[in-house]
Amino acid sequence: MSLVIAVPSMAPGGLEAELSPHFGHCDLFTLVTFDDGQITDVSVVPNVPHQQGGCMAPVNLLTQNGAKVLVAGGMGMRPLMGFNQVGIEVFHSGGLTQVGQVVAALLEGRLPRFGQDHTCGGGEHHHPA
């Protein structure tokens, strides 16, 4: 069974890309697909303009692209609740800055679930702790 992990990324995306500090304003999402413990696909999906559907636009975009897990450094409460409603598990990047590092840490069970203490008001820039 496939697992698709979405990571908000800076252009051009991919495993070497830098993690975008706030998922709603990222350039794109890197989608990493795993089958039987192996990466079987790495693709990128451009983010939608924030005003089209507001904070829920990325939630809908990732749902349509089969994401089951999202790893982010920051997001507001509304999109976090949206991801929970559609069944996408959200994890905090833990200060890691590269897509490949985040994916490896997630698979090793080293990333915390994204909780209310990780949320922000949206819009402001986030810096890894």
Side-chain angles (χ1 to χ4, degrees):
M1 183 165 141
S2 295
L3 173 65
V4 178
I5 301 167
V7 183
S9 312
M10 305 297 274
L15 294 176
E16 304 293 319
E18 188 177 331
L19 194 73
S20 180
H22 194 283
F23 100 98
H25 298 284
C26 67
D27 296 333
L28 47 83
F29 293 95
T30 297
L31 301 178
V32 181
T33 304
F34 283 88
D35 282 300
D36 298 322
Q38 300 292 318
I39 295 176
T40 56
D41 187 53
V42 177
S43 60
V44 294
V45 176
N47 194 6
V48 291
H50 209 61
Q51 60 272 22
Q52 293 183 4
C55 294
M56 291 302 291
V59 174
N60 296 330
L61 174 71
L62 295 177
T63 300
Q64 291 164 5
N65 282 277
K68 297 296 178 198
V69 175
L70 172 77
V71 180
M75 77 173 61
M77 195 64 201
R78 276 187 56 214
L80 178 60
M81 290 170 58
F83 284 118
N84 290 336
Q85 287 173 352
V86 298
I88 294 177
E89 292 184 84
V90 183
F91 291 85
H92 191 266
S93 63
L96 297 174
T97 59
Q98 188 182 50
V99 172
Q101 293 172 338
V102 166
V103 170
L106 176 73
L107 294 174
E108 293 167 4
R110 294 189 288 125
L111 297 182
R113 283 195 176 274
F114 206 102
Q116 286 188 341
D117 54 329
H118 296 120
T119 61
C120 63
E124 66 265 15
H125 294 285
H126 298 269
H127 302 281

